[in-house]
Amino acid sequence: MSQSLDRALTLLNSIAKDARTLDHLAEEIGVHKSTVLRLLRTLEQHHFVRREGTRYYRLGSAMFDLANQALDSIDVRRSAQPALAALNARTGHTVHLASYDDGEVVYIDKYEGRHSVRMYSRVGKRAPLHCTAVGKVLVAAMPEARREEIARSMKYPALTPNTITTPEAYLAELERVGRLGYSVDNAEHEDFIHCIAAPVRGADGEVLAAASMSVPKVLLDYEGLLALVPDLRAATTEASVHSGWTENGKGH
Protein backbone atom coordinates (compact mmCIF):
# COMPACT_ATOMS: atom_id res chain seq x y z
CA MET A 1 0.00 0.00 0.00
CA SER A 2 1.35 3.45 -0.85
CA GLN A 3 2.42 5.62 2.06
CA SER A 4 -0.01 8.44 1.20
CA LEU A 5 -2.95 6.03 0.91
CA ASP A 6 -2.03 4.37 4.18
CA ARG A 7 -1.89 7.75 5.92
CA ALA A 8 -5.20 8.88 4.40
CA LEU A 9 -6.94 5.72 5.57
CA THR A 10 -5.44 6.15 9.04
CA LEU A 11 -6.77 9.71 9.12
CA LEU A 12 -10.25 8.57 8.14
CA ASN A 13 -10.24 5.84 10.76
CA SER A 14 -9.22 8.35 13.42
CA ILE A 15 -11.80 10.96 12.40
CA ALA A 16 -14.49 8.27 12.37
CA LYS A 17 -14.06 7.89 16.14
CA ASP A 18 -14.52 11.59 16.90
CA ALA A 19 -13.78 15.07 15.58
CA ARG A 20 -10.02 15.67 15.41
CA THR A 21 -7.77 18.72 15.15
CA LEU A 22 -4.87 19.04 12.73
CA ASP A 23 -2.41 18.86 15.63
CA HIS A 24 -4.01 15.70 16.97
CA LEU A 25 -3.95 14.00 13.56
CA ALA A 26 -0.32 14.96 12.89
CA GLU A 27 0.69 13.53 16.25
CA GLU A 28 -1.34 10.37 15.69
CA ILE A 29 0.27 9.42 12.38
CA GLY A 30 3.68 10.88 13.25
CA VAL A 31 4.18 13.34 10.40
CA HIS A 32 4.43 17.10 9.99
CA LYS A 33 1.22 19.12 10.02
CA SER A 34 1.81 20.26 6.43
CA THR A 35 1.65 16.64 5.23
CA VAL A 36 -1.58 16.01 7.10
CA LEU A 37 -3.07 19.26 5.81
CA ARG A 38 -2.38 18.21 2.18
CA LEU A 39 -4.12 14.89 2.75
CA LEU A 40 -7.07 16.53 4.50
CA ARG A 41 -7.52 19.06 1.69
CA THR A 42 -7.66 16.26 -0.87
CA LEU A 43 -10.14 14.30 1.25
CA GLU A 44 -12.18 17.45 1.77
CA GLN A 45 -12.33 18.16 -1.98
CA HIS A 46 -13.90 14.72 -2.46
CA HIS A 47 -16.23 15.19 0.56
CA PHE A 48 -14.66 12.39 2.58
CA VAL A 49 -13.97 14.83 5.41
CA ARG A 50 -15.41 18.20 6.32
CA ARG A 51 -14.23 21.00 8.54
CA GLU A 52 -16.25 21.87 11.61
CA GLY A 53 -15.51 25.44 12.60
CA THR A 54 -11.86 26.41 12.17
CA ARG A 55 -10.13 23.60 14.06
CA TYR A 56 -11.94 20.29 13.80
CA TYR A 57 -12.39 17.69 11.06
CA ARG A 58 -15.22 15.20 10.81
CA LEU A 59 -16.25 12.54 8.28
CA GLY A 60 -17.91 13.98 5.19
CA SER A 61 -21.00 13.03 3.23
CA ALA A 62 -19.09 10.88 0.71
CA MET A 63 -18.26 8.37 3.46
CA PHE A 64 -21.91 7.88 4.32
CA ASP A 65 -22.86 7.64 0.65
CA LEU A 66 -20.26 4.92 0.08
CA ALA A 67 -21.40 3.06 3.19
CA ASN A 68 -25.02 3.11 2.05
CA GLN A 69 -24.08 1.97 -1.45
CA ALA A 70 -22.04 -0.89 -0.01
CA LEU A 71 -24.91 -1.98 2.21
CA ASP A 72 -27.45 -1.69 -0.60
CA SER A 73 -25.28 -3.93 -2.78
CA ILE A 74 -25.74 -6.79 -0.30
CA ASP A 75 -28.70 -8.60 -1.81
CA VAL A 76 -29.57 -10.54 1.35
CA ARG A 77 -30.04 -7.29 3.24
CA ARG A 78 -32.77 -6.23 0.82
CA SER A 79 -34.40 -9.64 0.51
CA ALA A 80 -34.50 -10.25 4.26
CA GLN A 81 -35.80 -6.79 5.13
CA PRO A 82 -39.58 -7.47 5.06
CA ALA A 83 -39.39 -10.55 7.27
CA LEU A 84 -36.96 -9.05 9.78
CA ALA A 85 -38.80 -5.73 9.99
CA ALA A 86 -42.03 -7.62 10.65
CA LEU A 87 -40.35 -9.71 13.37
CA ASN A 88 -39.08 -6.54 15.03
CA ALA A 89 -42.53 -4.89 14.84
CA ARG A 90 -44.28 -7.99 16.17
CA THR A 91 -41.99 -8.67 19.15
CA GLY A 92 -40.57 -5.24 19.94
CA HIS A 93 -37.09 -6.75 20.33
CA THR A 94 -33.90 -5.74 18.54
CA VAL A 95 -33.24 -7.71 15.35
CA HIS A 96 -29.85 -7.94 13.63
CA LEU A 97 -28.64 -9.27 10.30
CA ALA A 98 -24.96 -10.16 10.14
CA SER A 99 -22.43 -11.69 7.76
CA TYR A 100 -18.97 -13.23 8.07
CA ASP A 101 -16.01 -11.08 7.08
CA ASP A 102 -12.35 -11.90 7.57
CA GLY A 103 -12.62 -13.72 10.88
CA GLU A 104 -15.32 -11.54 12.42
CA VAL A 105 -19.02 -10.83 12.37
CA VAL A 106 -20.12 -7.62 10.67
CA TYR A 107 -23.64 -6.26 11.28
CA ILE A 108 -25.25 -5.36 7.95
CA ASP A 109 -28.70 -4.39 9.24
CA LYS A 110 -30.37 -3.58 12.54
CA TYR A 111 -33.93 -2.96 13.71
CA GLU A 112 -34.01 -1.27 17.11
CA GLY A 113 -36.14 -2.68 19.90
CA ARG A 114 -38.84 -0.67 21.61
CA HIS A 115 -37.24 -1.02 25.04
CA SER A 116 -34.95 1.66 26.46
CA VAL A 117 -31.85 -0.54 26.84
CA ARG A 118 -29.35 0.10 24.04
CA MET A 119 -26.63 -2.31 23.06
CA TYR A 120 -23.16 -2.33 21.58
CA SER A 121 -24.14 -3.12 17.99
CA ARG A 122 -24.67 -0.81 15.02
CA VAL A 123 -24.67 -1.31 11.26
CA GLY A 124 -21.08 -1.73 10.11
CA LYS A 125 -19.84 -2.68 13.58
CA ARG A 126 -17.70 -5.80 13.86
CA ALA A 127 -17.95 -8.39 16.62
CA PRO A 128 -16.20 -11.63 17.66
CA LEU A 129 -17.27 -15.04 16.38
CA HIS A 130 -16.90 -16.99 19.62
CA CYS A 131 -19.41 -15.14 21.79
CA THR A 132 -22.15 -13.92 19.45
CA ALA A 133 -25.17 -15.94 18.38
CA VAL A 134 -24.80 -14.74 14.78
CA GLY A 135 -21.12 -15.69 14.77
CA LYS A 136 -21.92 -19.22 15.89
CA VAL A 137 -24.52 -19.65 13.13
CA LEU A 138 -22.15 -18.39 10.44
CA VAL A 139 -19.23 -20.61 11.45
CA ALA A 140 -21.43 -23.66 12.12
CA ALA A 141 -22.56 -23.50 8.48
CA MET A 142 -19.01 -23.87 7.16
CA PRO A 143 -17.39 -27.16 6.10
CA GLU A 144 -15.93 -29.13 9.00
CA ALA A 145 -12.31 -28.46 8.06
CA ARG A 146 -12.93 -24.72 7.85
CA ARG A 147 -14.74 -24.73 11.22
CA GLU A 148 -11.79 -26.51 12.79
CA GLU A 149 -9.33 -24.08 11.23
CA ILE A 150 -11.23 -21.04 12.48
CA ALA A 151 -11.77 -22.48 15.96
CA ARG A 152 -8.09 -23.35 16.37
CA SER A 153 -6.84 -19.97 15.11
CA MET A 154 -9.14 -17.68 17.11
CA LYS A 155 -8.47 -15.89 20.34
CA TYR A 156 -11.08 -16.35 23.08
CA PRO A 157 -11.23 -13.25 25.27
CA ALA A 158 -13.60 -13.79 28.20
CA LEU A 159 -15.99 -10.85 27.82
CA THR A 160 -18.41 -12.16 30.46
CA PRO A 161 -18.42 -15.09 32.91
CA ASN A 162 -20.38 -17.10 30.30
CA THR A 163 -18.03 -16.59 27.34
CA ILE A 164 -16.65 -19.70 25.62
CA THR A 165 -12.86 -19.64 26.09
CA THR A 166 -11.46 -22.78 24.39
CA PRO A 167 -11.48 -24.20 20.85
CA GLU A 168 -12.86 -27.49 22.14
CA ALA A 169 -15.85 -25.85 23.79
CA TYR A 170 -16.45 -23.71 20.72
CA LEU A 171 -16.39 -26.69 18.36
CA ALA A 172 -18.82 -28.55 20.60
CA GLU A 173 -21.08 -25.50 20.55
CA LEU A 174 -20.92 -25.33 16.75
CA GLU A 175 -21.92 -28.99 16.53
CA ARG A 176 -24.92 -28.26 18.72
CA VAL A 177 -25.88 -25.26 16.59
CA GLY A 178 -25.71 -27.36 13.46
CA ARG A 179 -27.91 -30.00 15.02
CA LEU A 180 -30.54 -27.60 16.38
CA GLY A 181 -30.60 -25.11 13.52
CA TYR A 182 -30.24 -22.08 15.78
CA SER A 183 -27.75 -20.64 18.27
CA VAL A 184 -27.83 -18.88 21.62
CA ASP A 185 -25.66 -16.17 23.10
CA ASN A 186 -26.39 -16.71 26.78
CA ALA A 187 -25.02 -13.34 27.96
CA GLU A 188 -21.64 -14.30 26.48
CA HIS A 189 -20.90 -11.04 24.63
CA GLU A 190 -22.60 -8.50 26.88
CA ASP A 191 -23.58 -9.67 30.34
CA PHE A 192 -26.95 -7.88 30.36
CA ILE A 193 -28.10 -9.06 26.90
CA HIS A 194 -28.90 -12.54 25.57
CA CYS A 195 -29.64 -13.47 21.96
CA ILE A 196 -30.83 -16.19 19.63
CA ALA A 197 -29.84 -16.49 15.97
CA ALA A 198 -30.72 -18.57 12.91
CA PRO A 199 -29.44 -18.75 9.32
CA VAL A 200 -30.78 -16.99 6.25
CA ARG A 201 -30.18 -19.24 3.24
CA GLY A 202 -29.86 -18.64 -0.50
CA ALA A 203 -30.87 -20.48 -3.62
CA ASP A 204 -28.40 -23.35 -3.18
CA GLY A 205 -29.08 -23.73 0.52
CA GLU A 206 -25.91 -21.85 1.43
CA VAL A 207 -26.00 -19.62 4.50
CA LEU A 208 -25.93 -16.02 3.27
CA ALA A 209 -26.25 -14.35 6.67
CA ALA A 210 -27.44 -14.85 10.22
CA ALA A 211 -30.40 -13.08 11.80
CA SER A 212 -30.74 -12.64 15.54
CA MET A 213 -33.08 -11.33 18.17
CA SER A 214 -31.46 -9.63 21.19
CA VAL A 215 -33.27 -9.05 24.47
CA PRO A 216 -32.14 -7.48 27.77
CA LYS A 217 -32.16 -10.09 30.54
CA VAL A 218 -34.16 -7.76 32.78
CA LEU A 219 -37.05 -7.97 30.31
CA LEU A 220 -36.97 -11.69 29.56
CA ASP A 221 -35.38 -14.68 31.26
CA TYR A 222 -33.55 -17.47 29.46
CA GLU A 223 -36.62 -19.68 29.10
CA GLY A 224 -38.55 -16.73 27.71
CA LEU A 225 -35.77 -16.12 25.20
CA LEU A 226 -35.88 -19.72 23.98
CA ALA A 227 -39.65 -19.43 23.61
CA LEU A 228 -38.96 -16.87 20.85
CA VAL A 229 -37.02 -19.38 18.72
CA PRO A 230 -40.09 -20.40 16.64
CA ASP A 231 -40.78 -16.74 15.82
CA LEU A 232 -37.18 -16.20 14.77
CA ARG A 233 -37.09 -19.41 12.73
CA ALA A 234 -40.31 -18.44 10.93
CA ALA A 235 -38.81 -15.05 10.06
CA THR A 236 -35.52 -16.49 8.81
CA THR A 237 -37.40 -19.08 6.74
CA GLU A 238 -39.41 -16.27 5.14
CA ALA A 239 -36.23 -14.25 4.57
CA SER A 240 -34.60 -17.32 3.01
CA VAL A 241 -37.54 -17.82 0.64
CA HIS A 242 -37.23 -14.18 -0.42
CA SER A 243 -33.51 -14.86 -1.00
CA GLY A 244 -34.25 -17.72 -3.40
CA TRP A 245 -34.31 -20.72 -1.06
CA THR A 246 -37.02 -23.38 -1.27
CA GLU A 247 -37.89 -26.32 0.96
CA ASN A 248 -36.00 -28.76 -1.27
CA GLY A 249 -32.87 -26.60 -1.07
CA LYS A 250 -33.00 -25.36 -4.66
CA GLY A 251 -33.75 -21.88 -5.84
CA HIS A 252 -36.76 -20.61 -7.71
Side-chain angles (χ1 to χ4, degrees):
M1 184 185 296
S2 76
Q3 192 174 55
S4 293
L5 178 58
D6 183 62
R7 286 171 175 169
L9 293 173
T10 302
L11 290 177
L12 289 173
N13 189 58
S14 179
I15 295 169
K17 297 172 185 172
D18 200 1
R20 295 286 197 259
T21 65
L22 179 62
D23 289 341
H24 187 126
L25 292 167
E27 181 181 350
E28 187 161 342
I29 65 173
V31 299
H32 195 272
K33 286 191 289 186
S34 62
T35 301
V36 176
L37 187 58
R38 283 197 300 272
L39 290 169
L40 288 170
R41 283 174 175 167
T42 300
L43 292 168
E44 191 176 4
Q45 286 172 3
H46 293 275
H47 306 292
F48 285 101
V49 301
R50 61 180 175 86
R51 272 180 291 184
E52 185 177 80
T54 58
R55 298 187 60 219
Y56 289 94
Y57 289 86
R58 288 191 179 275
L59 291 184
S61 58
M63 288 297 299
F64 304 113
D65 185 44
L66 278 179
N68 286 328
Q69 288 184 56
L71 288 169
D72 285 343
S73 71
I74 303 174
D75 289 341
V76 68
R77 183 172 184 257
R78 292 197 300 271
S79 58
Q81 190 274 336
L84 300 188
L87 177 67
N88 166 253
R90 187 167 62 251
T91 65
H93 299 310
T94 301
V95 174
H96 294 102
L97 186 67
S99 62
Y100 175 88
D101 183 59
D102 194 25
E104 292 179 296
V105 164
V106 59
Y107 295 105
I108 58 176
D109 216 346
K110 181 180 181 180
Y111 304 85
E112 287 283 4
R114 291 196 291 269
H115 47 74
S116 60
V117 180
R118 289 293 176 263
M119 56 196 70
Y120 154 96
S121 61
R122 67 173 185 269
V123 174
K125 188 79 174 177
R126 305 175 80 87
L129 295 171
H130 71 293
C131 58
T132 54
V134 285
K136 294 175 186 178
V137 164
L138 293 167
V139 180
M142 296 178 182
E144 183 177 356
R146 181 66 177 139
R147 291 199 306 269
E148 183 87 20
E149 179 187 6
I150 289 173
R152 299 292 178 190
S153 64
M154 282 197 314
K155 295 179 180 178
Y156 293 86
L159 302 183
T160 79
N162 290 352
T163 304
I164 291 171
T165 56
T166 67
E168 292 75 20
Y170 188 59
L171 286 166
E173 177 77 351
L174 296 180
E175 192 279 330
R176 189 185 72 84
V177 171
R179 186 175 69 253
L180 296 177
Y182 69 90
S183 67
V184 179
D185 159 10
N186 184 17
E188 298 164 47
H189 186 215
E190 298 175 279
D191 58 10
F192 61 97
I193 298 284
H194 50 193
C195 312
I196 49 175
V200 177
R201 299 183 181 275
D204 296 323
E206 76 280 18
V207 173
L208 302 174
S212 69
M213 210 165 13
S214 303
V215 189
K217 291 166 63 179
V218 296
L219 294 183
L220 198 65
D221 63 14
Y222 187 70
E223 288 71 25
L225 177 73
L226 293 183
L228 292 172
V229 169
D231 294 289
L232 175 67
R233 293 290 300 274
T236 54
T237 296
E238 181 183 345
S240 297
V241 169
H242 291 162
S243 300
W245 177 83
T246 61
E247 288 288 347
N248 61 10
K250 297 179 181 179
H252 299 308

